[in-house]
Amino acid sequence: MDELLLGDLVQMRKKHPCGSDRFTVIRVGADIKIRCEGCGRIVMMDRAEFVKRVKKILGHSETPVRGTNEED
């Protein structure tokens, strides 16, 4: 898997209950926090689980991400 950065758009293997399989990375560390692009729900999982569940990285963010505040 490529290097994971804040703001990356990723596609997961399983769809979220809302029907979307695309998520934005909002926290990177020992735990990964992602926000659903469909409904905005936030999911947090440990890095090992994330690596197993991610299908591919769709793109890196062009705009810098200021932090992990969910309101941004």
Side-chain angles (χ1 to χ4, degrees):
M1 187 173 87
D2 295 337
E3 183 181 354
L4 190 64
L5 303 171
L6 285 178
D8 284 357
L9 185 64
V10 296
Q11 182 178 16
M12 302 302 279
R13 294 192 186 278
K14 293 175 91 176
K15 290 187 177 190
H16 192 252
C18 74
S20 177
D21 64 350
R22 294 174 182 238
F23 294 81
T24 303
V25 177
I26 58 173
R27 183 185 189 278
V28 178
D31 296 322
I32 307 292
K33 192 181 277 191
I34 54 178
R35 179 186 299 128
C36 178
E37 288 293 306
C39 65
R41 182 69 58 126
I42 295 172
V43 180
M44 188 170 178
M45 61 186 78
D46 59 49
R47 184 177 284 270
E49 186 179 349
F50 176 81
V51 169
K52 282 193 269 185
R53 290 185 179 199
V54 72
K55 189 170 187 177
K56 64 181 171 180
I57 297 176
L58 299 173
H60 297 292
S61 174
E62 285 106 28
T63 59
V65 178
R66 293 186 301 163
T68 60
N69 188 354
E70 288 81 13
E71 288 11 282
D72 291 349

